[in-house]
């Protein structure tokens, strides 16, 4: 029985604690390897990984590319937003075209929620969701969990505040699910306009005041605020947002003294986070998150493609 | 004005007054003492041992001494349209009307959608030193109805509630987001309930009168459609909402039902809507061109009923100064609005004189009930509370004449109306700021 008995990694919701633990344990083993001069392994030799990005991305795509290459796989990047879609091809047509080239893993990002799932139903290979709309971004949640686990030794029982644009955030949703699965307690902190409807039903506690919401927490997870949300439809202005919801030392003082600051990046300094807080390396683990990202993606690529060998090839 | 305003607060001994405190139901003959800016004591026989030394005696001779009136809907016109009204002229009109606290609309030039304007109004009002002024902030930037204003920072600067003034927030999604956002900080939004597309180009209430006069009608449905929409949005968002100056029976019904269902909604009306109907327009009297328009007699009666059964939470002056140039025009071109600070009490007292409400009920609508909705520290007689008081004769008869008003603009829809009840003395923070010429 495989440690991760799934063909795809489309989301965190529905995973079990042992499955998450297996992914994190495997990731852990790659952290040290990535710090060595010789980073290369060969578990993916002969395998083809295609990064299929329907939405602009730098860090996630680079992270997956590095992960694939360090495991010895052949990695190809496709930015579809600049090619086929412009010519009118549908998501499924693009997927089928690539499928015909027999990739082993497709890493897919798409601006529409559910698009990666749709695509996964039509291809023979494994699919890793690298972010679909406002739905899920599972590898981000895993790398966040790994960062926390390495720093604090556990996830269970921790108080985690996820702050900012929850309503549009796939990072928030994946983290909510993962932290709940692993027994952490999650609070969401944002103005009402940035909290999705019936958010409490996801098993979280909702706050609308940073000072209240950060009180006694172990982890402060900030989210990126998209510029288009700042123009008056969700929020009046950047300065008002920063004043009430931007993370600064004053608000941070409510958290536990040793609490960690996280951000999935890219950051808007002076919008959701004060520069000095972001750069405070005694608290901020933002760069560590990026480092863990590569390790987590290596583990995901390895565990999923390991299943492929056992899975019978079926043709569509 | 022969009267001199007290430069500083001393001690005032009101003797032989009919003390009225609608919040507690107090209605008794007694005395009241102010010390500095606060009420030091009140009740029957307070001065049994004699009036404290050094206190200025105000012999009330049985006149009513009540908390100063709280007006939640005033247009001051400063900054920007000082030819129509200023904080000083509006303050004089307010104190002459017994109003000691007023909340002023944000439709100034510039609009109160920035902290600096809130602070400007507060600073100017302090310098004028008459009625206390609390500003509304705008719901949307520039009152344009599309982008949220900085509600949180405006509230920190001192805005007590938020409204787009004489405009409704027309876009349902913008209103939804405004309610949602306001709930983040527990703020109160105030809607001008009028669907703008139905009111466009309208001059007066739609109906026989408009037909005969050949004026464009604004159907009463323009109001209830917006009320009903907003009630749904309140239900969706869980946020508080107050409807300003409701004028139709349909709105009263809708709000009554919403309150029965437990929705966090409140509303006010203004004297024209329970004391006048569309017939006041007569032969194109532009002083009777109001927004919302004067409605039918059936609507007027429904408003009275809403006041009597508690559905309507407050009476506001809806003071809207317009200069002569804005009113001396063909009806269709004339500006909307009427001044109301100085007629607020006497016209409201008609509800008492006509037997619809008790005196305390009328005062409640003008004092602690609006103060409660807006969270203002006003509208009660209490030891240690600010000495904001109005002394009035509930029975004194007089005739409203526009040229006798203290307001800079004279556009009252009540010109020539015989009324009963007159403010004799107004006290703000223990200072006498208005006294009626004997």
């Amino acid at each position: 029985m495989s440690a991760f008995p799934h063909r795809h990694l489309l989301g965190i919701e529905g995973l079990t604690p042992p499955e998450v633990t297996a992914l994190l344990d495997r990731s852990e083993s790659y952290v040290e390897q990535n710090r060595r001069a010789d980073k290369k392994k060969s578990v993916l030799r002969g395998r083809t990984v295609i990064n299929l990005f329907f939405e602009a991305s730098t860090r996630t795509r680079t992270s997956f590319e590095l992960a694939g290459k360090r495991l010895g796989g052949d990695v190809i990047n496709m930015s579809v937003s600049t090619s086929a879609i412009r010519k009118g091809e549908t998501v499924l047509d693009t997927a089928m075209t690539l499928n015909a080239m027999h990739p082993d893993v497709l890493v897919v990002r798409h601006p529409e929620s559910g698009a990666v799932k749709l695509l996964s139903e039509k291809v023979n290979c494994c699919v890793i969701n690298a972010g679909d709309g406002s739905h899920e971004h599972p590898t981000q949640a895993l790398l966040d969990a790994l960062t926390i686990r390495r720093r604090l030794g556990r996830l269970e029982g921790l108080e985690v505040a996820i702050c900012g644009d929850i309503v549009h955030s796939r990072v928030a949703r994946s983290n909510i699910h993962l932290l709940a699965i692993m027994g952490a307690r999650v609070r969401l902190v944002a103005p009402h306009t940035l909290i999705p409807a019936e958010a409490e039903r996801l098993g979280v506690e909702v706050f609308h005041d940073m000072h209240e919401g950060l009180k006694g927490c172990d982890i402060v997870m900030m989210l990126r605020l998209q510029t288009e949300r700042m123009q008056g439809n969700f929020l009046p202005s950047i300065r008002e947002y920063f004043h009430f919801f931007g993370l600064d030392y004053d608000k941070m003082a409510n958290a536990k003294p040793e609490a960690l600051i996280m951000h999935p990046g890219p950051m808007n300094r002076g919008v959701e986070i004060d520069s000095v807080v972001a750069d405070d390396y005694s608290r901020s683990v933002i760069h560590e998150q990026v480092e863990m990202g590569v390790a987590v993606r290596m583990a995901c690529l390895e565990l999923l493609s390991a299943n492929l060998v056992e899975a019978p090839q079926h043709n569509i | 004005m022969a009267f001199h305003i007290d430069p500083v607060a001393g001690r005032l001994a009101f003797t032989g007054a009919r003390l009225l405190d609608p919040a507690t139901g107090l209605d008794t003959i007694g005395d009241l003492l102010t010390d500095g800016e606060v009420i030091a004591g009140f009740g029957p026989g307070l001065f049994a041992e004699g009036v404290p030394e050094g206190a200025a005696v105000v012999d009330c001779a049985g006149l009513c001494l009540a908390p100063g009136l709280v007006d939640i809907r005033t247009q001051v016109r400063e900054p920007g349209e000082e030819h129509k009204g200023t904080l000083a002229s509006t303050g004089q009109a307010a104190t002459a009307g017994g109003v000691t606290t007023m909340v002023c609309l944000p439709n100034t030039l510039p609009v109160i959608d920035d902290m600096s304007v809130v602070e400007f109004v507060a600073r100017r009002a302090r310098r004028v030193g008459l009625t206390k002024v609390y500003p509304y902030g705008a719901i949307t930037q520039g009152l344009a109805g599309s982008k949220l204003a900085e509600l949180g920072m405006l509230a920190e600067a001192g805005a007590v509630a938020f409204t787009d003034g004489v405009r409704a927030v027309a876009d349902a999604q913008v209103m939804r987001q405004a309610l949602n956002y306001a709930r983040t900080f527990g703020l109160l939004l105030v809607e001008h309930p009028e669907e703008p597309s139905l009111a466009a180009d309208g001059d007066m209430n739609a109906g026989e009168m408009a037909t005969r006069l050949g004026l464009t009608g604004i159907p009463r449905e323009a109001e209830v459609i917006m009320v009903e929409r907003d009630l749904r949005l309140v239900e969706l968002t869980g946020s508080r909402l107050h409807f300003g100056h409701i004028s139709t029976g349909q709105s009263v019904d809708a709000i009554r039902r919403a309150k029965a269902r437990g929705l966090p909604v409140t509303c006010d009306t203004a004297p024209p809507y329970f004391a006048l109907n569309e017939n006041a327009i007569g032969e194109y009297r532009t002083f009777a061109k109001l927004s919302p328009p004067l409605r039918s007699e059936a609507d007027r009666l429904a408003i009275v009923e809403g006041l009597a059964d508690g559905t309507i939470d407050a009476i506001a002056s809806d003071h809207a100064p317009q200069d002569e140039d804005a009113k001396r025009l063909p009806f269709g071109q004339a500006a909307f609005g009427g001044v109301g600070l100085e007629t607020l009490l006497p016209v409201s007292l008609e509800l008492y004189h006509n037997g619809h409400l008790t005196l305390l009920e009328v005062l409640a609508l003008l004092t602690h009930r609006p103060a409660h909705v807006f969270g203002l520290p006003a509208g009660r007689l209490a030891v240690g509370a600010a000495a904001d008081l109005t002394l009035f004769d509930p029975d004194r008869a007089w005739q409203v004449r526009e040229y006798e008003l203290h307001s800079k603009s004279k556009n009252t829809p009540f010109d020539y109306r015989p009324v009963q009840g007159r403010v004799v003395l107004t006290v703000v923070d223990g200072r006498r700021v208005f006294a009626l010429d004997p």
Side-chain angles (χ1 to χ4, degrees):
Chain A
M1 185 64 187
S2 160
F4 189 76
H6 297 280
R7 180 180 176 80
H8 307 301
L9 177 61
L10 299 177
I12 297 294
E13 189 174 17
L15 296 185
T16 62
E19 288 165 1
V20 172
T21 305
L23 282 170
L24 295 179
D25 290 348
R26 194 72 199 126
S27 307
E28 190 94 45
S29 73
Y30 285 115
V31 175
E32 285 312 310
Q33 187 193 322
N34 283 336
R35 287 176 179 172
R36 289 203 290 267
D38 182 11
K39 301 176 177 64
K40 199 99 170 175
K41 283 189 80 174
S42 56
V43 295
L44 283 191
R45 182 178 295 158
R47 303 280 185 187
T48 305
V49 177
I50 300 183
N51 283 334
L52 179 56
F53 278 61
F54 293 86
E55 191 182 80
S57 162
T58 309
R59 67 178 64 208
T60 306
R61 205 211 56 207
T62 309
S63 184
F64 270 110
E65 185 177 352
L66 269 180
K69 286 180 171 165
R70 284 184 184 166
L71 292 177
D74 298 314
V75 184
I76 293 165
N77 291 318
M78 282 199 57
S79 291
V80 190
S81 52
T82 54
S83 56
I85 290 284
R86 290 256 174 92
K87 296 173 191 159
E89 193 173 74
T90 67
V91 181
L92 288 182
D93 285 340
T94 306
M96 296 307 288
T97 304
L98 293 176
N99 192 52
M101 300 177 195
H102 297 291
D104 298 287
V105 183
L106 275 178
V107 176
V108 187
R109 167 170 290 188
H110 197 281
E112 293 293 335
S113 301
V116 180
K117 167 103 169 67
L118 178 68
L119 187 148
S120 74
E121 288 162 1
K122 296 291 178 190
V123 295
N124 297 75
C125 58
C126 323
V127 174
I128 297 178
N129 181 2
D132 64 323
S134 304
H135 176 228
E136 283 233 40
H137 190 354
T139 56
Q140 178 71 43
L142 287 164
L143 73 88
D144 288 340
L146 182 62
T147 309
I148 297 170
R149 208 178 72 167
R150 282 173 59 90
R151 279 289 189 136
L152 302 181
R154 68 199 163 100
L155 293 166
E156 197 177 351
L158 295 180
E159 291 280 353
V160 182
I162 305 177
C163 313
D165 188 359
I166 314 284
V167 71
H168 302 102
S169 177
R170 52 195 174 213
V171 174
R173 282 172 180 77
S174 287
N175 266 312
I176 290 167
H177 295 311
L178 190 147
L179 292 164
I181 289 166
M182 300 309 285
R185 283 192 296 274
V186 179
R187 314 154 175 194
L188 306 181
V189 192
H192 269 279
T193 43
L194 297 181
I195 297 278
E198 301 189 16
E200 294 87 351
R201 301 282 299 162
L202 304 182
V204 299
E205 209 178 338
V206 177
F207 291 86
H208 305 291
D209 179 289
M210 282 287 271
H211 296 274
E212 285 294 313
L214 298 194
K215 209 160 275 176
C217 71
D218 300 282
I219 305 286
V220 181
M221 223 179 244
M222 300 305 297
L223 298 173
R224 175 181 168 76
L225 186 68
Q226 308 281 330
T227 3
E228 58 269 27
R229 324 285 185 219
M230 306 171 199
Q231 309 299 316
N233 306 317
F234 291 87
L235 300 166
S237 67
I238 291 172
R239 69 171 180 174
E240 170 141 326
Y241 186 72
F242 184 74
H243 180 66
F244 291 106
F245 294 97
L247 187 67
D248 54 20
Y249 280 123
D250 184 40
K251 299 183 185 99
M252 196 62 201
N254 294 282
K256 284 190 184 153
E258 67 281 9
L260 302 178
I261 297 163
M262 304 178 78
H263 194 299
M267 280 183 284
N268 294 301
R269 290 168 184 270
V271 178
E272 68 260 356
I273 190 162
D274 194 327
S275 255
V276 287
V277 175
D279 295 337
D280 178 351
Y281 294 118
S282 67
R283 317 288 295 272
S284 164
V285 293
I286 292 167
H287 295 298
E288 219 168 299
Q289 290 173 268
V290 178
E291 185 191 355
M292 294 307 122
V294 180
V296 157
R297 281 155 189 144
M298 288 168 85
C300 292
L301 287 172
E302 186 200 349
L303 290 178
L304 285 180
S305 57
N307 291 349
L308 265 188
V309 188
E310 292 149 23
Q313 286 286 329
H314 56 266
N315 293 311
I316 295 166
Chain B
M1 207 168 27
F3 175 72
H4 290 286
I5 290 171
D6 289 339
V8 290
R11 299 175 97 189
L12 295 174
F14 294 86
T15 62
R18 180 177 173 191
L19 298 172
L20 293 164
D21 182 37
T24 56
L26 176 78
D27 180 356
T28 182
I29 296 292
D31 310 315
L32 185 146
L33 179 69
T34 73
D35 190 356
E37 296 183 353
V38 300
I39 296 173
F42 61 94
L46 180 69
F47 301 138
E49 314 275 299
V51 173
E53 209 169 314
V57 175
V58 181
D59 180 4
C60 301
L63 296 185
C64 296
L65 184 62
L69 309 190
V70 177
D71 181 16
I72 53 175
R73 194 175 182 87
T74 317
Q75 298 183 57
V76 171
R77 304 290 188 225
E78 180 178 350
E81 290 182 287
E82 287 84 351
H83 58 293
K84 295 183 177 180
T86 64
L87 283 159
S89 71
T90 309
Q92 281 160 11
T95 53
V99 174
T100 56
T101 294
M102 59 187 177
V103 189
C104 60
L105 291 191
N107 56 338
T108 47
L109 298 169
V111 167
I112 308 180
D113 63 356
D114 189 274
M115 289 176 292
S116 60
V117 189
V118 173
E119 281 160 12
F120 170 85
V121 171
R123 191 170 65 245
R124 288 281 301 146
R126 263 199 309 278
R127 192 176 303 168
V128 167
L130 293 169
T131 286
K132 291 174 181 169
V133 176
Y134 294 93
Y136 279 100
I139 295 174
T140 64
Q141 297 171 26
L143 309 176
S146 55
K147 295 174 178 178
L148 297 178
E150 294 169 325
L151 308 191
M153 294 176 99
L154 286 165
E156 278 194 350
V160 294
F162 295 84
T163 181
D164 271 359
V166 297
R167 291 185 200 165
V169 177
D171 186 300
Q173 172 65 2
V174 173
M175 190 58 177
R176 175 196 177 189
Q177 291 294 65
L179 286 163
N180 248 332
Y181 191 69
R183 196 179 155 211
T184 304
F185 305 101
L187 305 176
L188 177 67
L189 298 193
V190 177
E191 177 75 296
H192 165 75
E194 186 173 72
E195 167 52 46
S197 58
L198 290 174
D201 302 321
D203 303 315
M204 64 171 292
N205 188 42
E208 178 189 340
M209 185 85 179
T211 299
R212 288 185 187 280
L213 291 170
L215 294 172
T216 308
I218 300 171
R220 56 173 67 74
E221 285 73 12
E223 183 170 298
V224 76
I225 284 171
M226 192 56 85
V227 168
E228 296 272 21
R229 182 203 78 172
D230 282 350
L231 290 174
R232 298 291 168 183
L233 293 177
V234 165
E235 200 156 13
L236 174 66
T237 59
S239 193
R240 295 167 68 208
L241 182 65
H242 179 88
F243 294 102
H245 55 198
I246 61 162
S247 67
T248 72
Q250 296 168 338
S251 304
V252 176
D253 286 344
I255 293 164
R256 185 183 287 126
R257 284 196 304 273
K259 285 185 161 190
R261 282 194 294 140
L263 291 187
V265 292
T266 49
C267 66
D268 68 71
T269 190
Y273 305 110
F274 59 78
L276 297 173
N277 62 32
E278 58 193 331
N279 294 333
I281 290 169
E283 295 281 323
Y284 305 99
R285 281 181 66 226
T286 60
F287 279 13
K289 181 175 180 179
L290 306 177
S291 174
L294 292 169
R295 302 289 184 182
S296 68
E297 178 62 6
D299 286 309
R300 187 189 75 81
L301 293 171
I303 296 291
V304 171
E305 199 184 313
L307 288 163
D309 73 9
T311 301
I312 299 175
D313 300 90
I315 300 172
S317 77
D318 215 4
H319 186 80
Q322 298 292 357
D323 61 354
E324 288 200 19
D325 294 336
K327 284 289 192 183
R328 201 183 287 152
L329 288 168
F331 198 89
Q333 294 171 8
F336 287 99
V339 294
L341 283 165
E342 291 162 84
T343 46
L344 176 62
L345 180 65
V347 178
S348 296
L349 285 174
E350 290 180 10
L351 294 164
Y352 156 63
H353 292 302
N354 294 341
H356 297 297
L357 275 76
T358 66
L359 181 56
L360 280 174
E361 284 169 345
V362 173
L363 287 174
L365 289 158
L366 294 165
T367 55
H368 83 97
R369 289 183 67 190
H372 177 71
V373 172
F374 279 64
L376 301 172
R380 285 162 171 265
L381 293 187
V383 173
D388 296 344
L389 305 164
T390 179
L391 181 69
F392 65 95
D393 179 344
D395 300 316
R396 180 153 164 182
W398 58 291
Q399 188 180 36
V400 179
R401 284 314 324 274
E402 48 95 0
Y403 58 83
E404 289 179 353
L405 298 177
H406 295 73
S407 170
K408 192 165 191 171
S409 290
K410 311 295 185 190
N411 52 304
T412 171
F414 295 109
D415 199 14
Y416 292 103
R417 189 180 184 91
V419 293
Q420 239 183 311
R422 186 126 212 200
V423 174
V424 174
L425 183 73
T426 303
V427 176
V428 173
D429 281 341
R431 294 162 53 236
R432 287 169 290 190
V433 291
F434 169 82
L436 188 65
D437 289 334

